[in-house]
Amino acid sequence: MKRSVHILRLLGAALVLAYASALPARAQDVDAALLVADSVLITQDERLVASGNVEAYYEGTRLFTDKIIYDQKRDELIIDGPVRIAQENGDVLIADSADLDSKLEDGILRGARYVLNQELQILSAQTDRVEGRYTVLRKVVATSCQICGNGVPIWQIRAERAIHDREEKQIYFRHAQFRLLGVPVLYLPTMRIPDPSLKRASGFLVPQFVSDSELGFGAKIPYFITLGDHADLTLTPFITPVTKTLELRFRKMFRSGYVEFNGALSEDTLVPGSIRNYLTGYGVFDLGNRFVLSFDIEAASDSGYRSNYGYSGRDRLGSGIALTRVKRDVFFKAELLNFETLRDNESNDTQPTLIGDVTYERRYQLPRIGGEFRANLALHGHKRVSLVDTVGRDMGRINLDLSWRDEWTLAGGLRFGLTTSLGLDSYAVTQDSTAAGRTTQAIPVIAATLRYPLSRKGRDGASYLFEPIAQIGWAGGSPSTLPNDESVSSEFDEANLLALSRFPAADRRETGTIAALGVRWARLHPDSWSAGVTLGQVFRDTADWSFSSSSGLRGSNSDTLLAMNYAAAWGGSFQARSLFDAQFKPIKAEARIAYGRNKFGISGTYIHLKADPTENRASSVAEWSLDGSYRVNRHWTTNANVQYDLLTDRFARTGAKVVYQNECISVGLGATRSYARSSTLVPATTYELAVSLLGFSTGGSGKAARRTCRK
């Protein structure tokens, strides 16, 4: 049967072509539509009648119907039955009948249904196609909601007329009435929305309703402005009885880079008589030859502004510009930074605010003698605003490190590694009468490492590794007597167990004889579960008191490091790290546990840090937090988070949100409670409601959550 139909279609096409050759030149135009059908006949009044699986095609537009009449004299297609017209971009027109020209561009469709991008559908009593560009619809009902039977859509737009401009990708409504669940809620003489295929267009975005215990109740109504094809500006007014705020976001894409700025201006009763503001910016540019230029900007009018409005909880502002180059054997970075503290117990006059860094590192492979040679040059300087002696101290340094390292496999599988290095340092200190002005030093280092990796393949297909590790090293020189401005906060973990110096910066180095012992165990299996455990400790011949008390590295013997990780194919994971003192009591601990699979996801963190004035932590920290989400079904999603302070025995922050989404609407309702209290912060509760109409450009797509009608 399929073969016979196929032959009939070919015969129909042949008859069409034969008939076209006998017509005047205009009908033979190569631009005329191609017509294919099961059967074709020519009437005495010079009409071509095609019936049975009729298809007409012209420049990407396809027409499907059961019967079509081509009137050669009027160059018109007459369709009395149902017809479907599919555009190349995916738009579909369905009508009860139609009169069209031979190019399928102009004409009238009656009882039409216009579906754009398989989402937004527009029903009309009559539809006119004009110049192949405009679709004019009369007595219109538009919605992207699924309508089952005689049901009422969640939202709809009723209008006397609508015009779809295919080139501008805009839909214009005249005398439009917006309805929710069939109830009129808004009337507009004119209304414009972008069609679903338009990616960017100026206009209003999704409004957000906010109720805050500090700021009151208000609505955020963003207005998006396109500035050409590669830039845009978003202005968001936010007005409540407490504040008048204008938020802004500017983005621009360049041929070789990107910039984005976010900010806000506020006049409120929280800080009367002043214009509060903040600004953040980010940019990155590819300069060629692997050079990358980037910058960051952070500024705020006062310490509590960003927290009051929920923009950011960070209590330090950082701005800077950096030039970076990364190649296989070369690393270069030059940056200039500026910091501003918002903390109550810190002063910008006595904190290092202006910082400059230059780092250049190159490595060389030495095939003749073996191993790898590295050269590293670092320049650093930081400056304080204060001119007072000691508290206004400024510092600078130059560090040159030359190192060579190699590793060999000995009999029995024992791995032996040797590292040698020479560090040349020069330091300068000003505005501090208690410190030496200029100092230089040379630090030679040699270290030997032994590893004994024992591996096997288990019956379960997993790979197992057990590896004892030992290192002994010596570094010349003596502990630094310079003021500690950079290496204030040190961290002992599995990454620096075998490091030659565990200080985070090169303003000081470990010296003397140092040994490290550790053991590592790992199980690897991608289809079941993988895990790892690292245990280690550092020993010195002389105590080093430059490390902070909570770093785990202070004194002659470090605290014992225990680190663990676990990940399973069923979605669970666990990471933990802790430091134990000589009595094996935990002094620092952090852990994270997570599970995520299918519809459910949850993660929890725990942290415990003891008080450490060296790290500017006056009291201990102990808290846990939980974040979870659950997708109830394809339409409902929930998530919640909680942060709890174990020392004060109270919540620090809680929040929850529920989102409903189908093919035509998205509704999100959330609440957040902050319990933080300081001179600039008070406990606050914020409620947010966001409603988005889906199915057109600014609303977003709802295809993934489309409902189906039950019979």
Side-chain angles (χ1 to χ4, degrees), residues 619-631:
S619 59
S620 298
V621 175
E623 63 181 34
W624 58 262
S625 63
L626 285 175
D627 293 272
S629 64
Y630 179 66
R631 189 175 182 86

Side-chain angles (χ1 to χ4, degrees), residues 676-697:
R677 183 181 293 275
S678 69
S679 61
T680 57
L681 297 177
V682 297
T685 303
T686 303
Y687 299 94
E688 295 183 355
L689 173 65
V691 180
S692 178
L693 304 182
L694 308 181
F696 51 93
S697 177

Side-chain angles (χ1 to χ4, degrees), residues 28 86 117 155 188 211 257 283 301 336 372 395 425 452 549 608:
Q28 299 182 50
N117 197 31
W155 67 267
L188 293 172
S211 177
S301 59
L336 183 64
E372 178 184 274
M395 296 183 65
D425 306 323
Y452 192 42
S549 60
H608 169 70

Side-chain angles (χ1 to χ4, degrees), residues 416-471:
F416 173 73
L418 182 65
T419 300
T420 62
S421 71
L422 175 65
L424 303 174
D425 306 323
S426 176
Y427 303 97
V429 181
T430 60
Q431 289 187 186
D432 190 344
S433 58
T434 64
R438 292 182 180 272
T439 59
T440 58
Q441 64 178 2
I443 305 292
V445 177
I446 185 169
T449 305
L450 287 176
R451 303 171 182 263
Y452 192 42
L454 302 172
S455 62
R456 69 178 180 87
K457 194 78 169 181
R459 294 181 179 179
D460 55 359
S463 299
Y464 293 85
L465 172 68
F466 180 78
E467 185 181 40
I469 303 170
Q471 184 188 71

